């Protein structure tokens, strides 16, 4: 779910997709002579199934373009900044610790770029976090790039157990788990010929999840996740990235009765459900109303419907980046912050 010049956290439009399954092994970046006398990395060409398509990567990419922030931050975390030709579609400042690596990467657009801008970078690989990014209405359909010999990759978190055929941000047919995110990390590392880095990053993320959830029982706490827009707010349904956070902590999402990724729900309905805690997206983009946490809180505390809620009267707010509310490596950051907030509010056992 996230940034673009589209109405929702990210409009994951029609492209019903399957999971991502590695079909061939890939190596750690050593080279062997190829049939034509050149050098070829071990394990390449690499063929994999990605969101219902077969993708072949002939060699570890050297000029990748990552067109969603979540995908870029994975590549940066894998130490691949020197192989990113460009990035686009950002809603937040870069993840802490990646500032230096990110500074050397060209951002061709804060929102979704045109296909021409992407192709101007002469990419040899294209990655995205959302199916809608590489579809009609996004940058361009995957076929357009593949016909030009540019392999494409979409996060399995936007494919596995998710139906994007109904428009909007799609609906979850199965609850998202962190395994989808870990798969993305490992497979991108394999594509770039550095699988050991992917394994190391996954283990680090697993350790943070275990630490954040250790000894916590938030079964008596109810949460609401607000991503964007004050007029027709986008609130989290049961089973996306906020669902991962909620389940890991044993809490309850007041809108766990909808499988839509980010349904738009009236404030009257929100007030009726009266959550204990409001988890608020703090976005730096300016596409919709009330993007920043400051604007959201200003709205909550002045609107006659919302200001009567217990969470508002007691100012029980947890602020998250937009990326932490997406199925990305920063979902772990969201889990850590929500856990800390619940402890501070005295809502954990």
């Amino acid at each position: 779910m996230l940034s673009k010049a589209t109405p929702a956290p990210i409009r994951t439009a029609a492209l019903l997709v399957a999971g991502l399954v590695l079909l061939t092994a890939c190596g750690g970046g050593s080279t062997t002579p190829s049939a034509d006398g050149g050098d070829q990395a071990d394990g390449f060409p690499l063929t994999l199934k990605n969101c219902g398509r077969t993708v072949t990567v002939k060699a570890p990419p050297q000029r990748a373009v990552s067109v969603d922030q979540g995908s870029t931050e994975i590549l940066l975390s894998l130490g691949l900044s020197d192989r990113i030709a460009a990035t686009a579609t950002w809603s937040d400042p870069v993840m802490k610790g990646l500032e230096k690596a990110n500074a050397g990467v060209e951002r061709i657009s804060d929102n979704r770029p045109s296909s021409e801008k992407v192709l101007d970078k002469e990419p040899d690989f294209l990655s995205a976090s959302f199916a809608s990014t590489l579809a009609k209405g996004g940058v361009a359909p995957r076929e357009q790039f593949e016909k030009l010999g540019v392999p494409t990759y979409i996060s399995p978190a936007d494919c596995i157990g998710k139906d994007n055929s109904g428009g909007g941000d799609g609906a979850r047919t199965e609850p998202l788990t962190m395994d989808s995110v870990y798969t993305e990390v490992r497979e991108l590392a394999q594509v770039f010929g550095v699988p050991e880095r992917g394994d190391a990053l996954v283990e680090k993320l697993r350790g943070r999840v275990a630490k954040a959830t250790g000894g916590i029982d938030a079964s008596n706490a109810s949460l609401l996740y607000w991503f964007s827009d004050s007029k027709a707010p986008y609130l989290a349904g049961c089973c996306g990235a906020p669902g991962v956070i909620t389940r890991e902590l044993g809490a309850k999402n007041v809108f766990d009765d909808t499988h839509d990724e980010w349904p738009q729900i009236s404030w009257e309905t929100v007030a009726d459900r009266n959550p204990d805690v409001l988890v608020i997206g703090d976005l730096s983009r300016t596409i919709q109303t009330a993007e920043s946490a400051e604007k959201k809180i200003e709205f909550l505390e002045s609107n006659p419907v919302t200001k009567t809620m217990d969470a508002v009267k007691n100012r029980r707010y947890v602020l998250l980046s937009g990326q932490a509310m997406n199925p990305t490596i920063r979902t772990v950051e969201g889990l850590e912050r929500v856990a800390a907030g619940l402890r501070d509010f005295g809502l954990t056992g």
Side-chain angles (χ1 to χ4, degrees), residues 215-295:
I216 195 170
D217 177 9
S219 56
N220 292 322
S222 61
L223 311 175
L224 176 137
Y225 298 81
W226 178 17
F227 190 88
S228 65
D229 202 5
S230 58
K231 295 178 180 178
Y234 290 94
L235 310 174
C238 70
C239 300
V244 172
I245 296 170
T246 307
R247 290 191 303 275
E248 288 284 355
L249 297 174
K252 176 181 173 60
N253 176 353
V254 294
F255 288 111
D256 64 3
D257 54 349
T258 174
H259 286 253
D260 290 346
E261 189 87 336
W262 290 97
Q264 290 178 280
I265 299 171
S266 73
W267 287 118
E268 288 76 13
T269 302
V270 172
D272 285 343
R273 301 205 179 185
N274 197 25
D276 295 316
V277 176
L278 298 178
V279 183
I280 294 173
D282 189 13
L283 283 59
S284 60
R285 69 179 197 183
T286 55
I287 296 173
Q288 297 171 332
T289 59
E291 298 280 46
S292 69
E294 180 182 6
K295 291 294 184 182

Side-chain angles (χ1 to χ4, degrees), residues 62-186:
Q62 302 299 316
R63 293 190 53 79
V65 173
S66 50
V67 285
D68 285 313
Q69 181 174 351
S71 181
T72 303
E73 289 183 336
I74 291 175
L75 298 182
L76 293 175
S77 297
L78 292 170
L80 297 168
S81 60
D82 60 335
R83 292 202 256 164
I84 307 174
T87 180
T89 320
W90 286 62
S91 65
D92 304 295
V94 70
M95 186 169 70
K96 288 183 179 180
L98 298 178
E99 295 90 348
K100 185 176 180 180
N102 183 61
V105 177
E106 180 183 358
R107 188 182 304 184
I108 54 178
S109 176
D110 287 336
N111 297 313
R112 284 182 177 166
S114 65
S115 59
E116 290 78 12
K117 276 192 173 183
V118 172
L119 291 171
D120 280 347
K121 306 315 296 181
E122 300 181 353
D124 55 7
F125 182 74
L126 194 60
S127 66
S129 300
F130 304 99
S132 60
T133 300
L134 299 182
K136 186 176 181 180
V139 176
R142 298 178 75 174
E143 295 88 341
Q144 178 173 322
F145 296 104
E146 290 163 356
K147 286 178 181 177
L148 297 173
V150 181
T152 62
Y153 178 98
I154 293 171
S155 169
D158 203 49
C159 306
I160 297 173
K162 188 161 183 275
D163 182 357
N164 294 309
S165 65
D169 292 299
R172 292 282 170 183
T173 57
E174 299 175 8
L176 177 72
T177 70
M178 284 301 296
D179 286 342
S180 294
V181 176
Y182 299 151
T183 294
E184 180 177 10
V185 170
R186 286 197 171 103

Side-chain angles (χ1 to χ4, degrees), residues 198-211:
D199 292 340
L201 179 55
V202 167
E203 288 311 302
K204 182 178 179 181
L205 294 170
R206 288 187 187 277
R208 289 172 60 189
V209 170
K211 183 178 180 180

